[in-house]
Amino acid sequence: MRPYLRSLAGGAALAALPIIIGVLIMLFASGSQVRVTNIFFINLIVVLGLQVTMGNSNVANLGHISFMGIGAYVAGILAIPIAIKSTILPDAPFGLSVVEYGPFAATLVAVAVTTAIAFVTGLVITRQSGIAATIVTLAWLVIVHVVFVNWMDLTRGPRALYGIPLSTNIVWLMFIAAAVVIAARVFRDSKSGVQLRASSEDLHAAAAMGVNVRWLRLWAWVFSGAIIGLGGVMYAFLIGSMSPKSFYFETTFLTLAMLILGGMRSVSGAVIGAIMVTVGFEFMRFIEGAPEILGVQLPQIFGLTGFFLGGTIVVVLALRPDGLVGNEELDEMIERRIARRRMRARVAADG
Amino acid sequence: MEYVVQQALNALSIGGEYALLALGLAIVFSVMGLVNFAHGEFITISGYTMYALFIFAAPTSAWGLLPIGILASITAAVVFERLAFRPIRNAPATTGLLTAFGLSIIVKNFFVTVVATRSKAVPTPEFFTEMITIGTINIQVLQILEGAVTGVALMLLLILLRHTNIGLAMRAASTDFNTVRLMGIRANQVVLAAFAISGFLAGLAAIFIIARRGAADPFMGFAPVLKAFVAAVLGGFGSLAGAVVGGFALGIAEVVFQVVLPESIAGYRDAFVFLFVGGLLILRPQGIFGQSAQFGDKEG
C-alpha cells in the first residue's frame, strides 16, 4: 500500500473509536454521561493537538492550554448576542460590543486568530532547544492567563464570560474529534512528521542530514495551536460560559496525564490515554464527592482527582516511560504481529 | 533619591530570592540533567513543616522554626531524589521533567487533602519586619538579610565547588558524569550532594518567602519557582553563574516594570516581564552564559 493511503487507513480505523463511543453514548447513556462524553471529545481534540507537537518533537509543552483559551475567548466574544454583550461587555475594544457572529464564522475567525498567535509565539519558542523551550511554553501560559484576568473590557477579567449560544452537540464533537485523529495521524506519517521524529531522536544528526528542525517545529507548533484552538472553540459553544480558570493548570495537568498515560509518541496513545484518564478521573470525582458504597459512607476527600493525575504521570513514567502504546500505532502493531505469524506458519510449512 | 535607593534594594532582595532558587535548579540540572519542576514543593514543604511545628510544639520564639524549615527543605530534596528521581536517572530529560511535574501535583494535592486549600499563618521573627533608618532611608531588616544571606550562600557554594572533592566532582559531572564515575567517585554521592545543596538554597528562599507572605498554602511554591526557571533560562540553563545573573536580572526587570507601568496596567507586570525575557531570548537563544549545543555534548 502507498504510505499515505496506509496512514489514512490507519487513521480512519482509529477515528472509528470516537465515532463508536459517540454512537453508543447517544443510544444508551443518560444525560450526565453525555455531558462527560462531550467534555471527553473536547479533551481528546486538545490531547491530539498536543501530540502533534510534543509527541513528534519530544519537546515537553506545558503551554498548550493557552491556545484552548484563546480559541474559546475569541469565539465566545464574537458569538455572544449583542443584547447580552451590551450588559456584560459594554466597553469591548475594537468595536466588538456591536458585533455578533454566527457559530461558523466565529469558529473560522477564532481558529485563524489562534493560528496567527501560535505562529508568532512559535517564532520565539522554536529558537529554544529542549528544556528552555519547555519553560518558555510555561511562561507563555502565564502570560496568556495574566491577559485574560486583567483585560476586563474584553474578557470580563476573572469573572465568568457567559451568554455564548450553545451551538455544538455530541454529533459535531464526535466527527470533529474523528477528523482530528486522522489529521494528527497523517501529519505523523508525513515527510515533516518523520523528519521531526528523527530530530527528536538525535537533533544534531538530523540537522546534519539536512532536516530543517526549526522550521518543522514551528510548523508542528502552529498546526497544534490550530487544533487546540478548535478544541477551545468547541468548549465555548458546548458550555456557553468560561472564565480564565478554565484554561489554566487543571486542564494542563489533565491533558498531559492523558497523553503520557497513552504514550505521546503515537496518535493511538493519545486516544487510548484520553479514554482511560477520563474514566479514571470520573471515578475519582465520584469518590471525591463522598458517595455511599455498599452502605458505607465514604468521607469527602478534596484533592483526590489531583492525586490521581499526578500519580498517573509519575507511575507511568517510572514503569513505562513510553506510555501504554509506545512508539508504534496500534494498526502497525497488529499488522506486524500478523506478518510475523504468517512468516512463522510459512517456516513451519517449509520445514 | 530615597525612592531610587528603596527600589534598588527591592530589586536586589527579590533578585536574591530568584537567584537562590535558580541556583538550586541549575545545580541539579548541571549534574544529572533533571529539570526539577518540583523545586517549588521544597518551599511548600518547608512552610508546612514550620506551620506544623508552630501548632504542635508551640515554641516560645519564632527563631526556632527557621532551622527546621531549612532542614525540612533539605530532607524533602533528598527524599524526592531517592524515591522519584533515582528510578528515572538515565531516562531522557523530558521524562525527568514530566516526572517532577507529576510529583509537584501530588505534593500540592497532598496538602490540599491533609491540611486545606486556604492558607495557614506561619510566624517569623518580628525582627525581620523591623525598620532600620540609615540617614533618611528606611530599610526593612528582611531586605538587608536577603541580600546578605544570598551573598554568603553564594560564597559558601563557591568555596564548596572550588575547594572540596565533592565540589570538584560536581563540576566535572556537569561535563561528563561517566568519567567522574571512572575516577572512583560514587554517582549517588554526587547526585545526593547536588540535591542537598539545592534543598538548602530552596530552604533559605522559603524562609524569606514565608516571612514576606506570613502564611503557607499548597500553591505557594509555584510562582517563585516559575520565575526562577525563567531566570535560569535567561542566564543560560545549567550555568551556575548564569542562574545568579539571571535571577538578579529578573528581579531588576520586575521592579523596573513595577515602577514604570501605570496603575491601569499594573496587573500585567508578569506578562511584561516574561515578554521582555522572551525578547532577550530572541537575540540570544542560549541565554546570557549558555553555550549553544554541539554534536557530542552531554545531552540535556
Side-chain angles (χ1 to χ4, degrees), chain A residues 58 127-128 131 150-151 249 302, chain B residues 35 94 113 222 267-268 282 285:
Chain A
N58 200 22
R127 280 178 74 88
Q128 308 294 315
I131 300 304
N150 284 286
W151 201 342
F249 287 108
F302 288 111
Chain B
V35 181
T94 308
T113 309
F222 177 74
Y268 292 104
I282 293 179

Side-chain angles (χ1 to χ4, degrees), chain B residues 21-154:
Chain B
L21 292 171
L23 201 54
L25 293 169
I27 285 179
V28 167
F29 180 77
S30 70
V31 169
M32 63 175 290
L34 173 77
V35 181
N36 188 7
F37 261 105
H39 199 70
E41 277 38 64
F42 301 162
I43 301 174
T44 315
I45 288 172
S46 179
Y48 274 104
T49 309
M50 285 160 73
Y51 166 71
L53 199 72
F54 170 65
I55 294 294
F56 295 118
T60 47
S61 145
W63 283 103
L65 297 179
L66 304 187
I68 304 295
I70 295 176
L71 209 62
S73 172
I74 298 175
T75 316
V78 171
V79 170
F80 278 21
E81 191 277 319
R82 186 69 195 82
L83 292 184
F85 297 134
R86 198 170 291 184
I88 52 143
R89 192 178 289 172
N90 296 317
T94 308
T95 307
L97 181 153
L98 293 171
T99 302
F101 202 64
L103 200 62
S104 125
I105 304 173
I106 294 178
V107 174
K108 283 191 188 82
N109 283 287
F110 172 79
F111 287 117
V112 169
T113 309
V114 176
V115 191
T117 313
R118 279 172 303 131
S119 57
K120 297 286 181 191
V122 177
T124 40
E126 278 167 23
F127 174 66
F128 281 10
T129 49
E130 274 171 25
M131 299 300 257
I132 291 181
T133 311
I134 301 172
T136 54
I137 302 162
N138 283 319
I139 310 169
Q140 209 179 13
V141 171
L142 188 63
Q143 286 191 326
I144 302 176
L145 273 180
E146 264 179 302
V149 168
T150 307
V152 171
L154 293 185

Side-chain angles (χ1 to χ4, degrees), chain A residues 32-105:
Chain A
S32 70
Q33 284 160 330
V34 171
R35 274 196 293 280
V36 169
T37 313
N38 283 333
I39 296 287
F40 158 72
F41 282 134
I42 287 170
N43 285 334
L44 177 60
I45 295 169
V46 173
V47 172
L48 288 164
L50 186 58
Q51 196 276 335
V52 164
T53 159
M54 190 164 150
N56 291 312
S57 69
N58 200 22
V59 175
N61 176 356
L62 304 175
H64 57 287
I65 294 301
S66 60
F67 296 121
M68 189 183 180
I70 293 169
Y73 267 100
V74 173
I77 291 165
L78 287 175
I80 295 175
I82 293 175
I84 300 179
K85 231 183 262 188
S86 60
T87 50
I88 61 172
L89 293 173
D91 306 317
F94 318 122
L96 282 169
S97 52
V98 290
V99 169
E100 181 181 335
Y101 277 36
F104 278 105

Side-chain angles (χ1 to χ4, degrees), chain A residues 162-175:
Chain A
Y162 59 86
I164 303 151
L166 304 179
S167 7
T168 190
N169 56 34
I170 189 164
V171 180
W172 276 109
L173 293 171
M174 171 175 97
F175 280 113

Side-chain angles (χ1 to χ4, degrees), chain B residues 222-245:
Chain B
F222 177 74
V225 167
L226 176 65
K227 297 275 175 62
F229 265 118
V230 173
V233 170
L234 178 61
F237 211 87
S239 152
L240 301 189
V244 176
V245 173

Side-chain angles (χ1 to χ4, degrees), chain A residues 158-237:
Chain A
R159 289 172 302 166
L161 184 71
Y162 59 86
I164 303 151
L166 304 179
S167 7
T168 190
N169 56 34
I170 189 164
V171 180
W172 276 109
L173 293 171
M174 171 175 97
F175 280 113
I176 291 173
V180 174
V181 168
I182 297 176
R185 176 62 191 272
V186 169
F187 177 79
R188 180 181 187 267
D189 292 343
S190 70
K191 187 177 157 198
S192 312
V194 171
Q195 290 186 338
L196 198 57
R197 281 188 284 149
S199 79
S200 75
E201 302 275 327
D202 192 325
L203 187 68
H204 303 294
M209 299 301 284
V211 173
N212 189 342
V213 180
R214 222 196 118 191
W215 160 244
L216 288 174
R217 280 191 181 165
L218 178 62
W219 164 215
W221 172 263
V222 171
F223 187 39
S224 149
I227 293 175
I228 295 171
L230 180 62
V233 173
M234 288 301 124
Y235 180 91
F237 286 141

